[in-house]
Amino acid sequence: MTNLSPANEPSIVAEAEAEQVARDRAGRKPLSGWRMLLPTMTPWLAVGLVLVGAITLFGIFGPYLVGDPRQIRDIGLTPPSGDFLLGTTQTGQDVLAQLAYATRGSLQIGILVGVLATALSAFFGIYGAYRGGFADEAFSLLSNVFLVIPGLPLVIVISGFVPRESRGLWTIAVVLAVTSWAASARVLRAQTLSVRNRDYVAASKVSGEKPWRVIVVEILPNLLPVIASQFVFAVIAAILGEAGLSFIGLGASNSATLGTMLFYAQNGFALSLGAWWWFVPPGLVIALFGMGLSLINFSIDEIINPKLKNLRQHRRRARKAARLERELARASRRSRPRAQETDAARDVEAAKEVSAR
Amino acid sequence: MTTTLLDDKKKAARGGRTEPVLTVDDLTVVYEVERPVTAVKNASLTLHRGEILGLAGESGCGKTTLAYAVNRLHRPPARIASGSITFHDRDGSDIDVLALEDASLRAFRWDKLSMVFQGAMNALNPVTTVRAQLRDTLLAHRPRTPRAEVRRRSEEVLTRVGVDPRRLGSYAHELSGGMRQRVMIAMAMLLEPQIMIMDEPTTALDVVVQRDILREIVRLRDELDFAVVFITHDLPLLLEISDRIAVMLEGEIVELDTSERLYREARHPYTRKLLGSFPSLSGERGGFIRSGFDDFAATVDGTDAATTEEDRA
Amino acid sequence: MTRVHVSDLVKDYSLRSGLRRSRLRAVDHVSLDLVPGRTVALVGESGSGKSTIAKILTRMEKPTSGVVDVRLDDDTPVQGSLYRRQVQMVFQDPFASLNPFHSIEHHIARPLRIHQRTHSPQETHERVLEMLERVNLTPAEDIASRRPHELSGGQRQRVAIARALAPGAQVLIADEPVSMLDVSIRLGVLNLLGRLQREDRLAVLYITHDLATARHFSDEIVVLYRGRVVERGPADAVILDPHHDYTKLLAMAAPDPERVDRVTLTQDGTDRGAIDNSVCFDHFAGEWQEAGVPAARARGEAAARGAS
């Protein structure tokens, strides 16, 4: 009878909360819908924001503060020192300077691809699902086709096919975007299909709203958290994908990214020569940036699924209630000696009950 | 006229019998949120054997919380702050429901007291047959039941609720809403409980189907003599099927009386208001104002009927 | 003033299961008239086609055949954006019909802006407050700035009513407007609808499964069973003197404390196998007609089938 869980828990808690919200905001300027879209601040979100913010700032301003990353000196492979904070490469180039430019390059690729892939998935996912019928079938087929094409091999083939001279930043970005939008489009399509059938969309159609306004004003805001989450993932995937491409020598020819740094480190036998300062910093930047974005994404997930948000709070309340009830039971047992079970058994049971929730 | 319930003889018999099966005394349930909410306040009631007790009230009045607490199904942050719940078994022994531990609590549920949830018809497992679900329920509580007995019992309960036993092989999606609800009721009575708690069992159903199920419940009660706690917001429905009705308002039982007296001479203003909210089908129009070219239109416009007390929030 | 004449409305849905295609006739030759100042109740169980009719009337669905003729007093047909303005709907679920993202003001301001009822933000705002006050939501300023989850079900439904009236609706389709509300506030919302109807002389189609409110709230009742009209007539006549088996069944199934001694519980009268939806009793004409056929033919053959 596991399926008989009472899903319709009395809603009095929710009601009490709504009342509290109403009371708290009485007499204050109301919050707009946008406020609802912002995640609540948690330690994890703070860590994520700090990581992403620091790396972004480094990518934007770093290149102005360091010297020329290409300048060759005759002091190959010096470990970090006062002159060169992150040491030098085999040809005596400043690793810190390279890292600053490479971070900027990777961020550019990441954001470019993020925007392109999100736009593509939003168009194919939302518009198709909203129109329904033939458009939906066609878009759906298209995204399914793109979904089953193995991404990285295709990217390698396309990048290999484009001559090296014309393989610029944009080419790589477009290639990465084209191979990565399909999964998000499926998710957005599913979400749109559910939002599209809500009564408020029907109501705005009945009142004569134009189709594009229905999509942009009524449907889109309710999809924003999902889109934001998709965007963040697209950025992570793009940075990793570009790093992978560059690492195997198929990256953009005219730009320096974290991947190309790793590529040169690999070619310069940095690992076997023990020059950790050459390959650890770019790797670490990629890892930390990915981690930061993921942490932000978890907070976005809480907006998409408010149940996650209340989980922590709920556990705390549940523990409190269980404790109070236990105390009450203990008190009543003292007054009524006929109850024979031990306190320990009762505690175990209560603990089980709490952990089962 | 296959069933003749509620004829005078039986009515008299029930009226004369006051053997209690469940006593709830001074029960208080609190939700431990930032500002604790008392969902049920000092509720006391006695359920008699074979009685249908209606529990009426609107959303958020605590009627579901009360039912859950009686079943010990309430989950934190809800907690029972005070009071006692005693179950009087058929053999004369008393069970303190609040003191039940894990295993004995599980045995108590379904065996002595079962529950049909709101929207229960969607609680059937979609991937197994009705037969498997009935069998699982039975074996979970009576592990060593022989196979033939399981089959016999399953067929029996389905027949009792008016579902063709051939439906045992069906999956939930092959049954209509009314059928699924009947299967859920069959499942609840599988272990012949002495009390069945039904939380809005017919709200999602059409009136005609609802009527069929109500009739089934009343008939089963007469045959098997279990007590029913019937929770709903639909007071006219309760007036028809229940022996006594408790009206809840903001966690308190504000009135508890026989259906007859509740209908004829309700004491609490809230009860009267609830009664007035349901226009009578065949009687006068009550608080209703007919639109259109009605001579009412001119006279009632002054009484701004739209301002009810709902703007509590 | 706008009147609606619906004649011989048919709506088929094609069902696909595997390779087989079949047709489901959700609405079968339904005709009805909506007249300013009068309420027609459309009664039936779920799946009887009531909501499909609402969708066709609000132009969310196209009928397979049949005509929805909407005309102004001077006989000019109502088309295009004017139709959107004049025919409005109140939905069943007040928790789903307001966009959780937007403020209450947005919901009422949009229809005003779309149909150019107001011309400046200031004017729009004033109109919104006016509309909220009309549906008894006060203080309007405060309510306007709230978002749907901060209102109770009854308040939301009033917002939905205000939204429907905002563009200047003349025809209101109310699809079970109170079935999701708490019982003690249903009466209030229905009476509000009634008051607004009298003030604006609206033509109202009240869709419901609740016979009692249908009887008291409307002037005329149309009973729908499996897509066909099986009985129609003045509200009191249909409820107190039902002719068709299905109407009788509905009337019997509805809880009614007035009824003596709970007799209905003892009857096994709900066998629906025998119910015939090919005939319709018309209380206005006082005769049986054929259901599920074009209106003209139904009237012609009425005499022949009268006895059945």
Side-chain angles (χ1 to χ4, degrees), chain B residues 248-263:
Chain B
M248 282 189 82
L249 172 65
E250 287 167 11
E252 278 176 278
I253 297 180
V254 294
E255 187 154 7
L256 174 61
D257 214 333
T258 63
S259 323
E260 191 63 22
R261 244 181 304 174
L262 197 87
Y263 180 55

Side-chain angles (χ1 to χ4, degrees), chain B residues 180-196:
Chain B
R180 271 179 281 171
Q181 194 61 279
R182 283 160 193 258
V183 171
M184 288 312 296
I185 294 171
M187 208 174 273
M189 47 180 269
L190 196 57
L191 299 161
E192 298 190 333
Q194 295 167 44
I195 304 174
M196 262 168 96

